[in-house]
Amino acid sequence: MITLEETSLFDGLRPQVTVILPVHNPDMNLLDRALGSVRAQGCDDLEMLVVDDGSSRNFVDLIDDLVAGDSKIRVLHQENQGVSAARNRGLDAARGVFVAFLDSDDYFAEGFLSAAMHEMLQKSADIVIGNILVASDNAFAVWGLQRGLPGSAILVGVDEFQAWRGRILSCSPSFVHDVDHLVFTSVCGTLYRLEKIRGVRFPVGVRHAEDRLFNVAALNVVDRVVAVNRTWLVYDRSNEGSVTSSFRAEQIPELESTVDAYARIAGLMLDNERVESIEVQAGATLGILNYVKLAALAVAASKSKAGVSSLSRLISTEAVNAALQNSVLFSGVDRLAASAARHRMAGVLVFLAELRTAYRLFYAVLAVIRWK
């Protein structure tokens, strides 16, 4: 809980914390659960900004009815521009000293806000990040930055941030294994000091990895981060399965803006004068290859000619070509995949993806046989 000494930061003229929740034609039961998890935080001095990103008329009415009578909730309506624009709208309207984000199908764990504010104030931090429990139908994982005693907190300074930024860009989602820097692939379940990240923006037009791009930019403007070994967010993916299995070939064109943003944030583009650290350049390069491989897996699963065409366009972009020039970063199959992408050999990438799928299936069947 917040102590009397810690309340000196709050002047009573603004809320302690703003929670930004973007929605677009949401599942109303899940939205009600998300809002309920915020109300249950026991934090009286907060505001919730529900940013309606162009929902249809019937959903607008349902959203307004759901929050009616709750003075802590403001609903902001806008034309459909995507989740990044909706969150940016929330940041512009936020009045809290601190800010947190939540998606309508996820929910906060009990005590998140008060515990995070306590760590923020006690350690003069700019970001406080906890663990994320990722739940799907048949598996769960914990994403977190440290594995100390339950509830323990560590303070991290700027000397580690460049390595972090590289790892955030390069890591691939896992719904089975506990992976540390995957916690930064989401902005939810993290508390930010608003005055420090007010100028950071979510990349409008980017449909994939917008959260991690925001966090990579945020780590450029903050001084201190606290990582707490406590689960603060339940990331509900029970209806989606893994990222790899749910990503479809028809979504491949959406990746072009993502790999372009990766290349630009790392200074890999020829027209970008900014030179990033080696860690960030390497992370962005590996991240771009991960998206190329994700696209190839989707094409291998769909067997569609349109998917092959989309993959060919993706590997023909300036961003992919700029990133994959340095083959020394890759080894084994990754080096082969990077070479195939660099030479615009979409068929080879799909073949490698099919081999990977067959390899994993073989060992899954073998494991079942051995278990029996």
Side-chain angles (χ1 to χ4, degrees):
M1 298 296 292
I2 303 298
T3 66
L4 288 176
E5 290 79 7
E6 294 168 341
T7 60
S8 60
L9 181 64
F10 309 118
D11 54 17
L13 301 177
R14 54 191 297 206
Q16 292 177 351
V17 61
T18 297
V19 178
I20 298 171
L21 199 161
V23 296
H24 175 75
N25 295 343
D27 181 310
M28 298 308 296
N29 290 326
L30 296 182
L31 176 58
D32 189 35
R33 182 183 68 179
L35 293 174
S37 76
V38 180
R39 293 187 181 106
Q41 292 297 304
C43 180
D44 295 328
D45 192 10
L46 67 81
E47 68 170 352
M48 285 182 272
L49 298 180
V50 176
V51 185
D52 165 41
D53 185 44
S55 296
S56 57
R57 183 69 253 175
N58 58 318
F59 277 99
V60 169
D61 293 338
L62 289 171
I63 294 167
D64 289 340
D65 290 343
L66 182 64
V67 304
D70 192 330
S71 60
K72 295 180 181 178
I73 300 179
R74 287 192 287 154
V75 180
L76 308 176
H77 298 287
Q78 66 178 33
E79 294 183 0
N80 181 238
Q81 302 173 56
V83 65
S84 290
R87 286 173 173 161
N88 290 341
R89 173 83 182 278
L91 284 171
D92 290 336
R95 298 185 298 115
V97 176
F98 308 118
V99 63
F101 300 93
L102 182 63
D103 290 336
S104 62
D105 50 355
D106 306 323
Y107 55 96
F108 289 151
E110 183 178 352
F112 156 53
L113 290 178
S114 59
M117 282 192 287
H118 175 77
E119 295 293 344
M120 182 83 77
L121 294 164
Q122 186 180 62
K123 296 180 172 62
S124 299
D126 301 315
I127 296 177
V128 178
I129 187 166
N131 298 340
I132 296 177
L133 176 64
V134 185
S136 62
D137 285 332
N138 54 8
F140 70 91
V142 176
W143 296 348
L145 283 171
Q146 61 124 334
R147 296 287 182 269
L149 294 173
S152 62
I154 58 173
L155 178 66
V156 182
V158 294
D159 55 322
E160 295 188 46
F161 288 174
Q162 294 308 313
W164 277 20
R165 295 172 75 227
R167 295 192 66 182
I168 294 166
L169 292 169
S170 66
C171 60
S172 298
S174 169
F175 283 74
V176 178
H177 305 292
D178 297 348
V179 184
D180 52 7
H181 286 74
L182 281 175
V183 71
F184 266 122
T185 64
S186 173
V187 294
C188 302
T190 296
L191 193 68
Y192 302 84
R193 189 180 295 272
L194 183 57
E195 66 179 17
K196 295 293 288 191
I197 57 97
R198 174 80 80 174
V200 180
R201 282 293 179 266
F202 289 90
V204 176
V206 175
R207 297 285 299 276
H208 301 272
E210 62 273 12
D211 285 31
R212 68 174 77 193
L213 288 168
F214 180 90
N215 279 327
V216 166
L219 286 173
N220 248 356
V221 299
V222 301
D223 300 312
R224 295 154 73 89
V225 175
V226 171
V228 181
N229 188 21
R230 180 184 295 178
T231 295
W232 279 343
L233 179 81
V234 178
Y235 189 35
D236 187 355
R237 291 298 172 262
S238 57
N239 296 319
E240 295 183 14
S242 71
V243 169
T244 300
S245 63
S246 62
F247 184 82
R248 303 181 304 277
E250 56 264 33
Q251 295 175 278
I252 293 175
E254 299 173 359
L255 294 180
E256 294 182 20
S257 60
T258 299
V259 298
D260 184 78
Y262 267 50
R264 292 184 184 281
I265 202 170
L268 297 173
M269 302 293 277
L270 296 178
D271 61 349
N272 193 332
E273 297 180 357
R274 180 179 178 181
V275 178
E276 271 287 3
S277 68
I278 295 298
E279 296 94 335
V280 174
Q281 288 190 1
T285 299
L286 292 170
I288 288 172
L289 181 61
N290 284 337
Y291 280 111
V292 170
K293 293 192 296 182
L294 177 64
L297 283 169
V299 175
S302 70
K303 311 291 185 184
S304 71
K305 292 183 179 179
V308 174
S309 297
S310 295
L311 177 59
S312 296
R313 286 195 299 272
L314 176 65
I315 61 179
S316 298
T317 60
E318 180 188 356
V320 171
N321 280 278
L324 303 186
Q325 291 298 318
N326 191 0
S327 61
V328 72
L329 293 172
F330 310 111
S331 60
V333 177
D334 276 355
R335 178 172 293 187
L336 184 58
S339 178
R342 193 169 64 250
H343 291 91
R344 305 182 183 183
M345 302 168 68
V348 173
L349 286 168
V350 175
F351 175 70
L352 291 173
E354 290 171 339
L355 282 180
R356 176 188 172 189
T357 301
Y359 175 84
R360 289 189 170 185
L361 179 61
F362 170 77
Y363 276 97
V365 171
L366 185 62
V368 171
I369 292 173
R370 286 179 175 175
W371 182 77
K372 289 184 176 180

